Amino acid sequence: MALDADRTLPALLNSKQVTDHYGIPPRTLARLVSSNAIPSTTVGRSRLFPRAALELWVAHGCPDEPGDGGRILHVLRKAVTA
């Protein structure tokens, strides 16, 4: 998967789009979400993944420690507001 994002993908991806585009098995994605290791957000009852945060997550080597997803979202928010 290239780091230059596919521009046809929306800014927020659902779980199916993440598993298809990034090649993450659904069970692994569920584990990463439950431990907050992958950047994601909840909108209503849907779990969505900001594409920019996923690209940053991939650029950092796809860390899988608990809380890594929140740290990546924090870095991204600081970069946007700076």
Side-chain angles (χ1 to χ4, degrees):
M1 195 254 347
L3 289 181
D4 57 335
D6 180 1
R7 299 297 175 215
T8 62
L9 288 175
L12 291 171
L13 286 73
N14 62 32
S15 296
K16 173 105 172 79
Q17 291 167 319
V18 172
T19 58
D20 290 348
H21 185 74
Y22 292 94
I24 301 172
R27 294 180 100 189
T28 301
L29 182 61
R31 180 183 55 82
L32 292 169
V33 167
S34 69
S35 67
N36 194 27
I38 190 169
S40 65
T41 188
T42 303
V43 177
R45 295 178 65 196
S46 300
R47 175 68 63 174
L48 298 175
F49 303 85
R51 187 180 73 206
L54 287 175
E55 291 169 10
L56 188 59
W57 181 73
V58 170
H60 281 88
C62 304
D64 63 355
E65 293 296 317
D68 284 340
R71 285 187 281 280
I72 296 240
L73 284 172
H74 179 72
V75 168
L76 188 61
R77 285 185 193 117
K78 283 181 72 174
V80 169
T81 60

